[in-house]
Amino acid sequence: MKLIVRWLLLAAALLLVAYLYPGVTVTSFGAAMIAALVLGLLNTVVRPLLVLLTLPVTLLTLGLFLFVINALMFWAAASVLDSFHVASFTAALIGSLLYSLCGMVIDVAVERRALGEHLLHRREAGDRACSEGSHGPGRDRVDPDLLLAEVPGEVLHARVEGRLGDAHHVVVRHGALAAQVRHRHDRAA
């Protein structure tokens, strides 16, 4: 699912590049989807070979030659497709820079969403484990890695270190900072 969403967003990014820069032309959203697929294939198959073959030049230019390789991939995709056109190598260079920036933003957004879903799932599992631990026979089976506490804008990870009577000894971590908390479960059902 994440791959399909990323592909659709990259196709929209290609349309945005065509809108922002007149040297790049895409005829339709369907053409942008095909162009994004071809660009992805070229970047997966051909680009690593070019990077390896041009490694000495890339090292001499302190990595700047990678921009040329990206422009070549952009230009190659345009030369294969009729519905995707790049006016010149300079247009391919500028278009590939804009497309790469859009791709980075898309990657961050897709990964952040996936991380948010993962943390929500862990929090729900932690809430279930905590409620089972405080109100029933599964009281000693609280999973120590599932407790999460949320502070606006931050996530604190809490780990149950041990149980003393009806209280849990919890260590809360945020980066290098740690605090010990004694958490007493409410016995009322």
Short mmCIF file of all heavy atoms in Angstrom, two decimals, residues 2-25:
data_model
loop_
_atom_site.label_atom_id
_atom_site.label_comp_id
_atom_site.label_asym_id
_atom_site.label_seq_id
_atom_site.Cartn_x
_atom_site.Cartn_y
_atom_site.Cartn_z
N LYS A 2 1.92 1.24 0.84
CA LYS A 2 2.81 2.39 0.93
C LYS A 2 3.49 2.65 -0.40
O LYS A 2 3.68 3.80 -0.80
CB LYS A 2 3.84 2.14 2.04
CG LYS A 2 4.68 3.34 2.35
CD LYS A 2 5.44 3.18 3.66
CE LYS A 2 6.51 2.16 3.57
NZ LYS A 2 7.44 2.20 4.71
N LEU A 3 3.83 1.58 -1.12
CA LEU A 3 4.48 1.71 -2.43
C LEU A 3 3.56 2.38 -3.45
O LEU A 3 3.99 3.25 -4.21
CB LEU A 3 4.93 0.33 -2.92
CG LEU A 3 5.71 0.30 -4.22
CD1 LEU A 3 7.05 0.98 -4.04
CD2 LEU A 3 5.90 -1.12 -4.68
N ILE A 4 2.29 2.01 -3.44
CA ILE A 4 1.32 2.60 -4.38
C ILE A 4 1.09 4.07 -4.06
O ILE A 4 1.06 4.91 -4.97
CB ILE A 4 0.00 1.80 -4.35
CG1 ILE A 4 0.24 0.39 -4.92
CG2 ILE A 4 -1.08 2.52 -5.15
CD1 ILE A 4 -0.92 -0.54 -4.75
N VAL A 5 0.97 4.40 -2.78
CA VAL A 5 0.79 5.79 -2.38
C VAL A 5 2.01 6.62 -2.79
O VAL A 5 1.88 7.72 -3.34
CB VAL A 5 0.54 5.89 -0.86
CG1 VAL A 5 0.62 7.32 -0.37
CG2 VAL A 5 -0.80 5.28 -0.51
N ARG A 6 3.20 6.07 -2.56
CA ARG A 6 4.43 6.77 -2.94
C ARG A 6 4.49 6.97 -4.45
O ARG A 6 4.88 8.04 -4.93
CB ARG A 6 5.64 5.97 -2.45
CG ARG A 6 6.94 6.70 -2.64
CD ARG A 6 8.09 5.91 -2.01
NE ARG A 6 9.33 6.62 -2.15
CZ ARG A 6 10.07 6.62 -3.24
NH1 ARG A 6 9.70 5.93 -4.29
NH2 ARG A 6 11.19 7.32 -3.29
N TRP A 7 4.11 5.96 -5.22
CA TRP A 7 4.12 6.05 -6.68
C TRP A 7 3.16 7.15 -7.16
O TRP A 7 3.50 7.96 -8.01
CB TRP A 7 3.77 4.69 -7.28
CG TRP A 7 3.66 4.63 -8.76
CD1 TRP A 7 4.46 5.26 -9.68
CD2 TRP A 7 2.69 3.91 -9.52
NE1 TRP A 7 4.06 4.95 -10.95
CE2 TRP A 7 2.97 4.12 -10.88
CE3 TRP A 7 1.62 3.09 -9.16
CZ2 TRP A 7 2.21 3.55 -11.88
CZ3 TRP A 7 0.89 2.51 -10.17
CH2 TRP A 7 1.18 2.74 -11.52
N LEU A 8 1.96 7.18 -6.61
CA LEU A 8 0.98 8.21 -6.99
C LEU A 8 1.48 9.61 -6.62
O LEU A 8 1.31 10.56 -7.39
CB LEU A 8 -0.36 7.93 -6.34
CG LEU A 8 -1.10 6.68 -6.83
CD1 LEU A 8 -2.33 6.42 -5.98
CD2 LEU A 8 -1.48 6.82 -8.29
N LEU A 9 2.09 9.73 -5.46
CA LEU A 9 2.61 11.03 -5.04
C LEU A 9 3.79 11.46 -5.91
O LEU A 9 3.93 12.66 -6.22
CB LEU A 9 3.01 10.99 -3.56
CG LEU A 9 1.86 10.91 -2.57
CD1 LEU A 9 2.38 10.72 -1.15
CD2 LEU A 9 0.98 12.14 -2.65
N LEU A 10 4.63 10.52 -6.32
CA LEU A 10 5.74 10.86 -7.21
C LEU A 10 5.24 11.27 -8.59
O LEU A 10 5.81 12.15 -9.24
CB LEU A 10 6.73 9.70 -7.31
CG LEU A 10 7.63 9.51 -6.10
CD1 LEU A 10 8.44 8.23 -6.22
CD2 LEU A 10 8.53 10.70 -5.89
N ALA A 11 4.15 10.65 -9.05
CA ALA A 11 3.54 11.06 -10.31
C ALA A 11 3.00 12.48 -10.18
O ALA A 11 3.19 13.31 -11.10
CB ALA A 11 2.43 10.09 -10.71
N ALA A 12 2.37 12.80 -9.08
CA ALA A 12 1.89 14.17 -8.85
C ALA A 12 3.06 15.15 -8.76
O ALA A 12 2.97 16.28 -9.25
CB ALA A 12 1.05 14.21 -7.58
N ALA A 13 4.17 14.70 -8.17
CA ALA A 13 5.37 15.54 -8.09
C ALA A 13 5.92 15.84 -9.48
O ALA A 13 6.39 16.94 -9.75
CB ALA A 13 6.43 14.87 -7.23
N LEU A 14 5.85 14.85 -10.36
CA LEU A 14 6.31 15.06 -11.73
C LEU A 14 5.44 16.09 -12.44
O LEU A 14 5.94 16.94 -13.19
CB LEU A 14 6.31 13.73 -12.48
CG LEU A 14 7.17 13.64 -13.71
CD1 LEU A 14 8.60 14.04 -13.43
CD2 LEU A 14 7.13 12.23 -14.27
N LEU A 15 4.14 16.05 -12.19
CA LEU A 15 3.25 17.07 -12.74
C LEU A 15 3.58 18.45 -12.15
O LEU A 15 3.52 19.46 -12.86
CB LEU A 15 1.79 16.72 -12.45
CG LEU A 15 1.17 15.63 -13.31
CD1 LEU A 15 -0.24 15.31 -12.82
CD2 LEU A 15 1.15 16.02 -14.77
N LEU A 16 3.92 18.49 -10.88
CA LEU A 16 4.30 19.75 -10.25
C LEU A 16 5.58 20.31 -10.88
O LEU A 16 5.67 21.52 -11.13
CB LEU A 16 4.49 19.55 -8.74
CG LEU A 16 4.93 20.78 -7.95
CD1 LEU A 16 3.82 21.84 -7.96
CD2 LEU A 16 5.31 20.39 -6.54
N VAL A 17 6.55 19.45 -11.13
CA VAL A 17 7.79 19.88 -11.79
C VAL A 17 7.48 20.45 -13.16
O VAL A 17 8.01 21.50 -13.55
CB VAL A 17 8.80 18.71 -11.89
CG1 VAL A 17 9.97 19.06 -12.79
CG2 VAL A 17 9.30 18.33 -10.50
N ALA A 18 6.61 19.78 -13.91
CA ALA A 18 6.22 20.27 -15.23
C ALA A 18 5.49 21.61 -15.14
O ALA A 18 5.64 22.47 -16.02
CB ALA A 18 5.35 19.24 -15.94
N TYR A 19 4.74 21.80 -14.08
CA TYR A 19 4.02 23.06 -13.88
C TYR A 19 4.98 24.19 -13.51
O TYR A 19 4.85 25.32 -13.98
CB TYR A 19 2.95 22.87 -12.79
CG TYR A 19 2.19 24.14 -12.46
CD1 TYR A 19 1.21 24.60 -13.31
CD2 TYR A 19 2.48 24.85 -11.30
CE1 TYR A 19 0.50 25.77 -13.00
CE2 TYR A 19 1.79 26.00 -10.99
CZ TYR A 19 0.80 26.46 -11.85
OH TYR A 19 0.13 27.61 -11.55
N LEU A 20 5.95 23.88 -12.64
CA LEU A 20 6.88 24.90 -12.16
C LEU A 20 7.97 25.26 -13.17
O LEU A 20 8.41 26.41 -13.21
CB LEU A 20 7.54 24.43 -10.86
CG LEU A 20 6.65 24.29 -9.64
CD1 LEU A 20 7.44 23.70 -8.47
CD2 LEU A 20 6.05 25.62 -9.26
N TYR A 21 8.40 24.31 -13.96
CA TYR A 21 9.53 24.56 -14.87
C TYR A 21 9.11 24.27 -16.30
O TYR A 21 8.73 23.13 -16.62
CB TYR A 21 10.73 23.69 -14.46
CG TYR A 21 11.96 23.99 -15.26
CD1 TYR A 21 12.59 25.22 -15.15
CD2 TYR A 21 12.48 23.05 -16.12
CE1 TYR A 21 13.72 25.50 -15.88
CE2 TYR A 21 13.61 23.33 -16.86
CZ TYR A 21 14.23 24.55 -16.74
OH TYR A 21 15.34 24.83 -17.48
N PRO A 22 9.19 25.24 -17.19
CA PRO A 22 8.70 25.06 -18.56
C PRO A 22 9.54 24.12 -19.42
O PRO A 22 9.10 23.69 -20.48
CB PRO A 22 8.72 26.48 -19.13
CG PRO A 22 9.65 27.25 -18.27
CD PRO A 22 9.64 26.61 -16.92
N GLY A 23 10.74 23.75 -18.99
CA GLY A 23 11.58 22.85 -19.77
C GLY A 23 11.15 21.39 -19.67
O GLY A 23 11.65 20.54 -20.40
N VAL A 24 10.23 21.08 -18.76
CA VAL A 24 9.72 19.72 -18.57
C VAL A 24 8.24 19.73 -18.92
O VAL A 24 7.49 20.59 -18.45
CB VAL A 24 9.94 19.25 -17.12
CG1 VAL A 24 9.36 17.86 -16.89
CG2 VAL A 24 11.41 19.28 -16.75
N THR A 25 7.82 18.74 -19.74
CA THR A 25 6.42 18.65 -20.16
C THR A 25 5.90 17.25 -19.90
O THR A 25 6.55 16.27 -20.27
CB THR A 25 6.28 18.97 -21.66
OG1 THR A 25 6.93 20.21 -21.92
CG2 THR A 25 4.84 19.06 -22.07
#
